[in-house]
Amino acid sequence: MKTIHTLISIDVVQKWHPHQMNVKNAMLNGDLVEEVYMRLPPGLPHTSGHVCHLRRALYGLKQAPRAWFEKFSSSLICLGFVASNYDSAMFIRKIIVGHIVVLLYVDDMIMTGDDDNGIADLKKQLHFMFEMKDLGYLRYFLGIEVAYSPEGYILSQSKYNSDVISRAGLTDNRIMDSPIELHHSLSPTDGELLFDVTRYREVLGSLVYLTVTCPDITYVVHVVSQFSSAPRRVHWTVVLCILRDLRDTLHHGLLLSFDSLILTGYSDVDWVGDLTDLKSTTGYCIFLGNSLVAWKSKKQSVVSRSSAEAEYRAMATAAAELI
């Protein structure tokens, strides 16, 4: 296990409390740049051959999401915000009084910062521009539950987890020590082809999203994802083992604590871990203070000719994430 350290320089560590807001009928706020025409709605009397010339975006229009985002982003830029280079849907405003960060996902947004008066003013300005609903402090966002404690924020997906287990039809009470064997040897040709391919892919997609707050299943989800094109019964058995493990840790979550801002990264690799294509799998995790903030398990794109080469590739990937 290789360890990489770096230090983020900051004067004061602030506790930023996130707020959540929702835009009502977000897509209707977009301004169309192109000329778009549509057929008249059924039941509306009109002359044959007449169509509607749209002045504003509508739901179902392929231009609507882009038009809404451009309208929202331009409104924030006029208020002094700048789009982040890391995420185009995140906007930041830095002034002498403090910082404000806004993150948008379709019609839901999170805003946080150390400028409480600025956040209150921003809410009033957004209410004036769009029809919005203030949902208060962040509690639930995109299937992720947020709880508060004196130590920090706790992120979990217990409800989403329960829904995934129900959709998969898992009814037994078996307990798993580990979702996969230590020295497993899964391959694309093991066992019979799975009859219900759709359910396998649906559950697999849900498991990928569960890795947002369940980093312990990241590696095994990475393994079973490699067989999504033609899954077999043995692969579905491993998926059920993952679900049993998640059921036993249903109410576990991630703690984002209020401590230091020292970044620490750990990386490792299994040399020639996949006997099918002889590629190695990189794994890393990044801590900000005592909080786990980033992790990944991914197969390397080339075959490494030595364990040292595989290790250096893993370290390079972790270092790039740190930067």
Side-chain angles (χ1 to χ4, degrees):
M1 183 77 71
K2 273 59 61 185
T3 308
I4 307 170
H5 295 279
T6 185
L7 176 65
I8 297 179
S9 177
I10 192 167
D11 296 329
V12 180
V13 179
Q14 298 280 357
K15 295 182 180 180
W16 292 6
H17 297 292
H19 302 252
Q20 185 176 3
M21 298 190 72
N22 176 267
V23 185
K24 298 180 180 180
N25 301 320
M27 299 302 169
L28 303 182
N29 293 289
D31 297 323
L32 293 176
V33 179
E34 308 91 348
E35 285 194 358
V36 181
Y37 299 89
M38 64 170 284
R39 295 176 181 174
L40 273 73
L44 186 67
H46 63 280
T47 306
S48 177
H50 283 194
V51 294
C52 291
H53 179 203
L54 294 183
R55 297 182 179 180
R56 305 289 292 273
L58 292 177
Y59 278 89
L61 195 66
K62 64 180 182 180
Q63 293 92 339
R66 184 184 61 190
W68 153 241
F69 181 74
E70 290 180 353
K71 181 67 173 291
F72 181 80
S73 59
S74 61
S75 300
L76 282 186
I77 291 173
C78 292
L79 296 176
F81 284 83
V82 177
S84 169
N85 293 326
Y86 182 77
D87 188 340
S88 59
M90 184 167 67
F91 302 86
I92 305 170
R93 187 175 71 185
K94 299 179 182 179
I95 56 178
I96 299 176
V97 179
H99 304 68
I100 298 178
V101 179
V102 177
L103 181 65
L104 177 71
Y105 183 83
V106 190
D107 56 355
D108 289 312
M109 70 183 70
I110 300 174
M111 57 179 63
T112 186
D114 54 0
D115 182 6
D116 294 334
N117 294 329
I119 292 177
D121 292 338
L122 176 61
K123 287 183 177 182
K124 293 178 182 178
Q125 291 168 326
L126 291 176
H127 273 294
F128 179 76
M129 296 176 181
F130 311 104
E131 187 179 359
M132 305 191 67
K133 183 178 181 181
D134 189 350
L135 302 177
Y137 286 128
L138 181 63
R139 299 291 180 184
Y140 190 83
F141 188 75
L142 303 179
I144 301 175
E145 301 157 36
V146 182
Y148 302 91
S149 73
E151 290 78 22
Y153 301 111
I154 302 173
L155 307 182
S156 64
Q157 292 173 283
S158 56
K159 182 180 182 302
Y160 185 85
N161 193 348
S162 299
D163 294 340
V164 174
I165 294 173
S166 299
R167 290 201 305 270
L170 186 65
T171 56
D172 61 67
N173 295 318
R174 292 174 57 187
I175 299 175
M176 303 300 301
D177 295 330
S178 173
I180 196 170
E181 296 179 1
L182 181 60
H183 301 289
H184 68 87
S185 57
L186 296 177
S187 73
T189 58
D190 287 341
E192 301 178 1
L193 285 171
L194 192 65
F195 177 75
D196 193 353
V197 179
T198 301
R199 183 169 65 163
Y200 181 91
R201 294 171 180 169
E202 288 177 349
V203 173
L204 183 59
S206 300
L207 290 175
V208 171
Y209 190 57
L210 277 170
T211 59
V212 173
T213 59
C214 303
D216 53 318
I217 66 169
T218 302
Y219 171 73
V220 64
V221 170
H222 153 78
V223 172
V224 293
S225 297
Q226 301 174 52
F227 311 109
S228 58
S229 59
R232 297 177 179 267
R233 291 188 180 277
V234 64
H235 306 144
W236 176 247
T237 301
V238 177
V239 170
L240 292 179
C241 291
I242 300 174
L243 294 175
R244 292 188 182 99
D245 182 71
L246 287 171
R247 182 184 57 194
D248 296 336
T249 58
L250 187 64
H251 298 290
H252 289 196
L254 282 180
L255 173 63
L256 303 180
S257 58
F258 305 125
D259 48 25
S260 66
L261 292 185
I262 298 177
L263 273 176
T264 307
Y266 302 90
S267 69
D268 205 352
V269 65
D270 63 340
W271 184 45
V272 195
D274 193 327
L275 299 179
T276 303
D277 56 14
L278 302 181
K279 292 183 178 179
S280 308
T281 299
T282 294
Y284 69 75
C285 54
I286 309 295
F287 287 84
L288 182 60
N290 294 321
S291 303
L292 181 63
V293 295
W295 55 92
K296 179 176 286 188
S297 177
K298 185 177 182 181
K299 187 182 292 186
Q300 295 182 356
S301 58
V302 298
V303 176
S304 298
R305 291 173 290 182
S306 68
S307 59
E309 181 181 348
E311 297 281 10
Y312 276 116
R313 292 185 185 278
M315 286 187 65
T317 303
E321 179 66 18
L322 281 168
I323 293 173

